[in-house]
Amino acid sequence: MMNGQDMRWHKAQQLLDENALDVATMAACLGQAEDKLEGMLGADPRRAIPDKLARLMEQTFSKPEGWLDQGDDGGISYDLFGE
């Protein structure tokens, strides 16, 4: 089972693909520093996607609030057992 940050990373990758964006262009759209976003969305993420940025990404790309935290089945993914 994916943890919350894994879910956000995969959904952010989906946003990049859907909108034919690279990290630099997404950073510009969000008003964020490219190196900061690269650390979150790159192939080897070193930083977590914070809640505030997750909501900004959803708003910017017309996704419902909480979309980055939802599994592919449409439900919110809760990691009840820390796995």
Side-chain angles (χ1 to χ4, degrees), residues 3-51:
N3 69 32
Q5 284 304 315
D6 288 340
M7 180 71 65
R8 283 185 177 179
W9 184 86
H10 283 284
K11 296 292 261 196
Q13 296 303 310
Q14 187 176 335
L15 282 177
L16 289 168
D17 291 343
E18 284 178 2
N19 294 284
L21 299 173
D22 58 13
V23 174
T25 307
M26 181 180 267
C29 290
L30 298 171
Q32 300 291 315
E34 181 180 345
D35 60 334
K36 177 182 172 185
L37 213 58
E38 182 67 43
M40 295 176 204
L41 303 181
D44 185 26
R46 300 172 309 280
R47 301 175 66 158
I49 301 171
D51 292 342

Side-chain angles (χ1 to χ4, degrees), residues 39-80:
M40 295 176 204
L41 303 181
D44 185 26
R46 300 172 309 280
R47 301 175 66 158
I49 301 171
D51 292 342
K52 187 174 180 179
L53 181 58
R55 303 296 81 88
L56 178 61
M57 292 168 77
E58 292 161 350
Q59 182 180 16
T60 300
F61 295 100
S62 302
K63 298 295 184 184
E65 186 173 336
W67 180 84
L68 279 169
D69 300 314
Q70 293 178 353
D72 291 331
D73 63 357
I76 294 178
S77 174
Y78 293 101
D79 185 7
L80 299 177

